[in-house]
């Protein structure tokens, strides 16, 4: 967007700016009229913001898988939604067994940890398998080829899990410790959401630390910059790629546990929408960029949660909440018009820029 | 070498096709046919040893599978109760999954409509499927009897969604919506309500009828919202409903969205004590799972079937399938089969050698002529547009850990 005066401004540039400005006008106008109408109490807004952050936390953990793989292989792993689904859809059987034996509510912390471990392990295994079977043989093929196998792998996984666990859905039992809420001066904070937000922050920090400060993380970043040079420096590129998929898969499995704490129903098709949203969040924040994925996810979660009531209610649009996805994606367009490589920018090195 | 292989393979293929043609052919070609079919829609000819083919188009997989499986169980009991035969011919019963969506209805409808041996179809489960599948069945000349479509459009005279040959043994939602509104206003005593639909034909019409009836009784409808059937996060819709502070939320939708609404309503500021009510689409054991502990006190309107014959039916259901009925439209499906059987017996032309001809238009006419037919669900009489039900709607309440829900009110 930073052009010198000598560069010509084309017609499509003007169109894009007009679209961007009209989105901005509608958003500002809608927000002002909603706030003036006073339809929603401060308590409602607080509730929506918290729910948005909790949703964003889940998106962030899924988005890590997209962003890490993109950073290394420059490809979008469209099977990642199924990697996300596989963990919680498998761990539900453990949760049900723990509930039946009564262990779940006697040792809630241990139970949640066990569920999380199972979920992360399953998602990690699936991610590694997908890499081994669907991507590695095509490492040197043209870029579009692994994209198609990714879609194929996605369908294959969906229907495999449908075959394994059935086409109906399974519900997670209620964990009694997490029921209820704390009240601070009129606003209510539900325990589940607090747990989700705090865990999401912690896990994102852990992932960031692994990528930035561990030896493997350093090797990952080296492979991301230049595969050949990294191989010449004695880095086993295949191993690093497997590690990347494993890390992304484990993050998705952990995200799955946070997801089921909020929406405790799982089925074979559950990965599709969150996967799509997380991918969007990764692009929004700047794909290939770890803090960007986190920021993008939080922004997307908030937009989805607060957006319909804040932007559209004041304009008198009926059933605004059904348009929440449309709002989220329009804001995505808006941001990408002004920052084409995402909020924090795609992490480009000299060789790729 | 390769060419030779191909030649051999095609020879085998041609031979097998010939065999298949010989084996499946009807013996009627031997002599001069004694019956000349003059029916406007043609006839189904069934040889002395051939079965009568009746198909189902029900949702038997996915989140709403109990609805369709329950109906299919009802039909299987009806077939068993009648000795598996109609007019001395065995009944061939199979079908397609419709997935409770327009896409599923389209796929199942296309496959079934291509099979000319089918005499009648029992289905569909959900009204959205009917909207796309029924026109296909109508073109194919089938008789279609739905055990659980309730959207008013499907049998409304002159409506684009109303097709010839379509009938239902389920109630019309004009009845259900009005009963639900009456219950809410007069029995629960609520004066303000909000509604939510999921864009399906069933939900959209039912909440509309509810809202109109509720307003006619003197109640206020604060808002009419909509969600997506695959939506999981309901916070924004619930917050905007909470802003109108209704005393009741009526959401006649399906699983899993219904379960998420039940759970999340209790954690939305302002809705902690609001009454929640759904309809027959949320009468299923899956609602117990999907709703978790928050299910307590959740109400649904649904048909109520009673009587000694029904008790006998439930006993044989339990004996055959090892469970009490899992949803609500099993008796309606049983009646649907019985209606079809009676109509085939009335319309079919039986030849001396055992061959029967079923004229399709005459079969439809026989179905529409049904009057005072004694079924499990009551005395059935069909209107010219296909409403055959004898509706009796009750209100049920869910309690945590108990299925089926308890009847708390009946008119």
């Amino acid at each position: 967007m930073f052009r010198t005066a000598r560069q010509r401004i084309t017609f499509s540039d003007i169109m894009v700016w007009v679209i961007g400005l009209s989105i901005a006008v509608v958003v500002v106008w809608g927000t002002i009229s909603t706030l003036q109408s006073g339809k929603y109490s401060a308590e409602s807004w607080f509730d929506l913001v918290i729910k948005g952050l909790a949703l964003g936390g889940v998106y962030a953990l899924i988005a890590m898988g997209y962003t890490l793989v993109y950073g290394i292989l420059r490809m979008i792993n469209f099977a990642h939604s199924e990697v996300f689904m596989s963990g919680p859809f498998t761990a539900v059987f453990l949760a049900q067994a723990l509930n039946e034996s009564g262990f779940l509510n006697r040792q809630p912390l241990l139970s949640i940890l066990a569920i999380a471990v199972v979920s992360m392990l399953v998602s990690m295994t699936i991610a590694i398998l997908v890499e081994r079977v669907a991507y590695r043989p095509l490492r040197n093929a043209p870029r579009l080829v692994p994209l198609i196998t990714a879609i194929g792998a996605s369908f294959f996984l969906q229907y495999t899990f449908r075959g394994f666990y059935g086409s109906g859905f399974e519900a997670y039992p209620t964990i009694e410790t997490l029921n209820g809420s704390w009240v601070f001066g009129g606003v209510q904070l539900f325990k589940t959401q607090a747990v989700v937000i705090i865990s999401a922050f912690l896990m994102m920090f852990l992932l960031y630390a692994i990528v930035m400060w561990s030896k493997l993380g350093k090797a990952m970043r080296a492979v991301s910059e230049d595969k050949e040079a990294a191989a010449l420096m004695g880095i086993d590129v295949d191993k690093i790629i497997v590690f990347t998929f494993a890390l992304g898969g484990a993050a998705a499995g952990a995200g799955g546990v946070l997801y089921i704490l909020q929406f405790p129903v799982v089925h074979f098709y559950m990965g599709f929408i969150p996967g799509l949203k997380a991918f969007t969040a990764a692009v929004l924040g700047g794909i290939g960029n770890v803090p960007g994925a986190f920021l993008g996810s939080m922004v997307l979660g908030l937009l989805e949660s607060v957006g319909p009531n804040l932007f559209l209610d004041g304009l008198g649009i009926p059933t605004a909440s059904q348009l929440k996805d449309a709002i989220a994606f329009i804001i995505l367009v808006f941001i990408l018009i002004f920052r084409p490589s995402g909020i924090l920018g795609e992490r480009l090195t000299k060789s790729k820029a | 070498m390769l060419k030779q292989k191909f030649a051999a393979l095609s020879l085998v293929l041609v031979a097998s096709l010939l065999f298949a043609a010989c084996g499946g052919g009807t013996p009627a070609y031997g002599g001069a046919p004694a019956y000349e079919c003059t029916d406007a829609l043609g006839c189904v000819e069934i040889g002395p040893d051939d079965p009568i083919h009746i198909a189902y188009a029900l949702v038997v997989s996915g989140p709403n599978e109990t609805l369709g499986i329950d109906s299919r169980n009802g039909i299987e009991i009806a077939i068993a109760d009648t000795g598996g035969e109609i007019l001395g011919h065995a009944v061939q019963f199979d079908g397609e999954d419709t997935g409770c969506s327009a896409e599923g209805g389209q796929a199942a409808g296309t496959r079934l409509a291509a099979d000319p041996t089918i005499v009648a179809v029992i289905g569909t489960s959900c009204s959205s499927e009917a909207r796309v599948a029924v026109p296909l069945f109508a073109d194919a000349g089938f008789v279609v009897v739905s055990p659980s479509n309730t959207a008013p459009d499907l049998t409304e005279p002159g409506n684009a969604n109303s097709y010839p040959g379509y009938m239902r043994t389920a109630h019309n939602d004009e009845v259900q919506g009005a009963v639900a509104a009456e219950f809410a206003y007069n029995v629960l005593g609520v004066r303000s309500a909000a509604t939510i639909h999921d864009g399906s034909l069933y939900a959209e019409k039912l909440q509309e009828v509810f809202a109109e009836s509720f307003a006619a009784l003197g109640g206020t409808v604060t808002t009419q919202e909509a969600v997506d059937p695959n939506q999981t996060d309901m916070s924004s819709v619930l917050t905007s409903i909470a802003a109108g502070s209704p005393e009741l939320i009526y959401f006649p939708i399906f699983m899993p969205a219904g379960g998420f609404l039940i759970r999340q309503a209790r954690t939305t500021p302002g809705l902690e004590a609001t009454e929640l009510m759904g309809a027959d689409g949320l009468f299923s054991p899956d609602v117990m799972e999907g709703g978790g502990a928050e299910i307590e006190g959740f109400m649904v309107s649904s048909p109520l079937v009673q009587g000694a014959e029904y008790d006998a039916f439930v006993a044989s259901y339990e004996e055959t399938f090892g469970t009490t009925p899992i949803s609500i439209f099993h008796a309606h499906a049983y009646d649907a089969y019985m209606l079809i059987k009676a109509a085939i017996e009335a319309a079919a032309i039986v030849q001396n050698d055992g061959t029967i001809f079923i004229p399709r238009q005459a079969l439809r006419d026989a179905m529409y002529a049904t009057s005072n037919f004694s079924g499990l669900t009551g005395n059935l009489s069909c209107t010219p547009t296909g409403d055959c039900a004898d509706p009796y709607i009750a209100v049920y309440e869910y309690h945590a850990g108990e299925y089926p829900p308890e009847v708390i009110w009946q008119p």
Side-chain angles (χ1 to χ4, degrees):
Chain A
M1 279 294 138
F2 301 103
R3 292 162 190 268
T4 58
R6 264 174 297 170
Q7 280 173 307
R8 269 189 341 127
I9 294 172
T10 62
F11 176 69
S12 58
D13 281 341
I14 298 172
M15 280 310 292
V16 161
W17 278 79
V18 167
I19 294 172
L21 280 178
S22 42
I23 295 174
V25 167
V26 170
V27 164
V28 171
W29 184 33
T31 308
I32 291 172
S33 42
T34 307
L35 292 180
Q36 267 179 349
S37 75
K39 186 177 165 192
Y40 299 107
S41 59
E43 194 192 356
S44 292
W45 289 123
F46 178 79
D47 181 62
L48 285 177
V49 167
I50 293 296
K51 283 176 178 160
L53 288 178
L55 200 58
V58 176
Y59 291 160
L61 285 168
I62 309 172
M64 281 306 291
Y66 286 106
T67 236
L68 288 177
V69 168
Y70 183 86
I72 290 214
L73 291 179
R74 306 284 129 185
M75 65 160 280
I76 307 294
N77 176 12
F78 274 114
H80 195 60
S81 5
E82 273 53 61
V83 169
F84 160 71
M85 169 272 287
S86 63
F89 198 16
T90 307
V92 72
F93 298 101
L94 173 69
Q96 286 171 350
L98 287 175
N99 187 44
E100 258 164 51
S101 63
F103 190 78
L104 185 73
N105 285 314
R106 244 173 271 164
Q107 290 292 339
L109 187 66
L110 274 182
S111 305
I112 293 178
L113 281 179
I115 291 167
V117 166
V118 168
S119 173
M120 286 163 77
L121 278 179
V122 171
S123 288
M124 202 161 102
T125 315
I126 296 290
I128 293 172
L129 280 178
V130 168
E131 194 274 331
R132 186 71 194 79
V133 175
Y135 304 144
R136 194 181 295 182
L138 299 166
R139 184 84 39 83
N140 296 316
R143 264 203 203 185
L144 272 178
V145 176
L147 191 75
I148 303 300
T149 51
I151 295 169
S154 168
F155 280 118
F156 177 80
L157 286 172
Q158 257 181 34
Y159 288 92
T160 308
F161 275 89
R162 182 191 158 128
F164 272 172
Y165 304 144
S167 61
F169 54 84
E170 298 290 333
Y172 272 85
T174 316
I175 300 165
E176 275 160 25
T177 340
L178 292 177
N179 267 348
S181 56
W182 296 294
V183 179
F184 305 104
V187 290
Q188 215 177 2
L189 181 62
F190 286 92
K191 290 180 186 170
T192 329
Q193 280 141 13
V195 168
V196 168
I197 295 173
I198 293 169
S199 331
F201 268 92
L202 285 179
M203 279 189 256
M204 285 308 292
F205 181 75
L206 186 67
L207 279 169
Y208 186 71
I210 291 176
V211 173
M212 294 312 288
W213 299 316
S214 79
K215 212 171 172 183
L216 275 167
K218 200 182 260 177
M220 265 169 76
R221 285 180 291 135
V223 172
S224 158
E225 292 213 1
D226 192 327
K227 259 187 243 154
E228 284 81 27
L232 288 175
M233 293 299 133
I235 294 173
D236 184 343
V237 174
D238 273 344
K239 208 168 107 189
I240 295 304
I241 291 175
V242 169
F243 176 72
T244 309
F245 273 86
L247 200 61
V257 174
L258 300 188
Y259 182 83
I260 58 100
L261 286 178
Q262 302 174 73
F263 313 113
V265 176
V266 290
H267 51 97
F268 76 98
Y269 199 59
M270 67 179 273
F272 181 69
I273 300 283
L276 198 65
K277 297 280 175 59
F279 169 61
T280 311
V283 173
L284 186 63
I287 190 144
N289 183 324
V290 174
F294 183 67
L295 191 65
S297 302
M298 287 302 174
V299 169
L300 189 71
L302 281 176
L303 277 178
E304 259 185 46
S305 176
V306 182
N309 295 332
L310 185 62
F311 303 150
L312 295 186
D313 221 297
L315 304 177
I317 292 172
T319 68
S321 71
Q322 222 187 3
L323 296 172
K324 70 186 181 94
D325 292 350
I327 293 169
F329 286 103
I330 287 172
I331 302 289
L332 170 82
V333 169
F334 177 73
I335 291 178
L336 292 184
I337 284 175
F338 294 100
R339 288 199 61 86
S341 55
I343 301 174
L344 294 188
E346 186 182 344
R347 204 190 55 212
L348 289 178
T349 51
K350 272 181 216 139
S351 59
K352 282 151 208 145
Chain B
M1 185 65 198
L2 202 67
K3 252 185 194 165
Q4 275 174 343
K5 263 189 189 165
F6 258 120
L9 205 71
S10 19
L11 259 180
V12 170
L13 265 175
V14 168
S16 62
L17 276 176
L18 276 174
F19 268 114
C22 293
T26 44
Y29 293 117
Y35 173 74
E36 201 68 46
C37 179
T38 54
D39 192 86
L41 294 172
C43 299
V44 188
E45 183 186 341
I46 294 157
D49 302 321
D50 290 346
I52 294 180
H53 191 177
I54 293 176
Y56 68 82
L58 300 166
V59 48
V60 292
S61 77
N64 294 293
E65 62 187 7
T66 45
L67 179 64
I69 291 175
D70 188 50
S71 297
R72 189 175 64 188
N73 290 350
I75 301 166
E76 282 173 7
I77 291 177
I79 294 175
D81 277 2
T82 52
E85 288 189 340
I86 298 176
L87 293 171
H89 287 258
V91 173
Q92 180 193 345
F93 179 63
D94 50 26
E96 295 283 344
D97 176 34
T98 47
C100 201
S101 65
E103 297 78 12
Q106 177 84 44
T110 313
R111 273 196 293 262
L112 291 176
D115 184 346
T117 65
I118 294 175
V119 178
V121 172
I122 299 179
T124 58
S125 290
C126 302
S127 300
S128 313
E129 305 160 351
R131 180 153 58 176
V132 289
V134 170
L136 301 169
F137 297 148
D139 280 349
F142 301 162
V143 157
V144 190
V145 186
S146 167
S148 59
N149 292 161
T150 57
D153 280 28
L154 300 169
T155 55
E156 192 179 58
N159 193 302
N161 288 325
S162 167
Y163 287 90
Y166 175 81
M167 274 142 277
R168 61 173 157 212
T169 52
H171 55 271
N172 185 318
D173 277 341
E174 295 284 357
V175 181
Q176 180 170 218
V179 169
E182 196 197 316
F183 169 80
Y185 192 86
N186 291 330
V187 182
L188 283 182
V190 299
R191 291 293 174 266
S192 59
T195 66
I196 306 174
H197 68 81
D198 63 0
S200 68
L201 185 60
Y202 158 79
E204 200 171 342
K205 292 288 165 186
L206 184 48
Q207 62 86 27
E208 204 176 290
V209 175
F210 173 87
E212 280 166 12
S213 314
F214 192 71
L217 286 168
T220 317
V221 177
T222 59
T223 174
Q224 286 171 278
E225 288 282 348
V227 295
D228 186 87
N230 293 317
Q231 192 172 328
T232 50
D233 176 21
M234 307 291 178
S235 52
S236 63
V237 65
L238 287 170
T239 304
S240 91
I241 284 178
S245 46
E247 293 167 81
L248 172 105
I249 306 175
Y250 184 64
F251 48 103
I253 58 172
F254 291 103
M255 290 303 288
F260 288 122
L261 273 174
I262 295 170
R263 279 181 191 261
Q264 292 171 35
R266 294 286 169 248
T267 59
T268 303
L271 296 178
E272 293 87 351
T274 309
E275 304 274 8
L276 303 178
M277 187 169 176
D280 41 16
L282 287 175
F283 194 116
S284 122
D286 292 335
V287 179
M288 302 287 301
E289 285 207 27
E294 281 81 4
I295 195 82
E296 185 65 43
F298 174 62
M299 292 169 289
V300 288
S301 56
S302 266
L304 179 65
V305 185
Q306 289 165 319
E309 284 178 9
Y310 179 66
D311 294 339
F313 167 85
V314 171
S316 63
Y317 191 113
E318 279 174 33
E319 196 180 311
T320 318
F321 301 106
T323 162
T324 52
I326 48 181
S327 188
I328 35 166
F329 290 110
H330 40 267
H332 300 79
Y334 183 95
D335 283 354
Y337 179 80
M338 291 304 186
L339 282 183
I340 292 171
K341 178 174 178 285
I344 290 177
E345 282 164 355
I349 288 123
V350 183
Q351 303 291 295
N352 288 335
D353 66 348
T355 305
I356 59 173
F357 292 89
I358 302 175
R360 292 194 183 274
Q361 183 59 48
L363 181 66
R364 283 185 182 177
D365 295 343
M367 292 289 301
Y368 284 117
T370 303
S371 161
N372 261 326
F373 183 90
S374 167
L376 290 181
T377 57
N379 282 325
L380 309 180
S381 300
C382 294
T383 65
T385 50
D387 263 326
C388 301
D390 180 5
Y392 189 69
I393 308 289
V395 176
Y396 298 70
E397 185 174 44
Y398 279 96
H399 298 295
E402 272 175 51
Y403 190 85
E406 176 198 3
V407 178
I408 54 165
W409 178 78
Q410 41 184 304

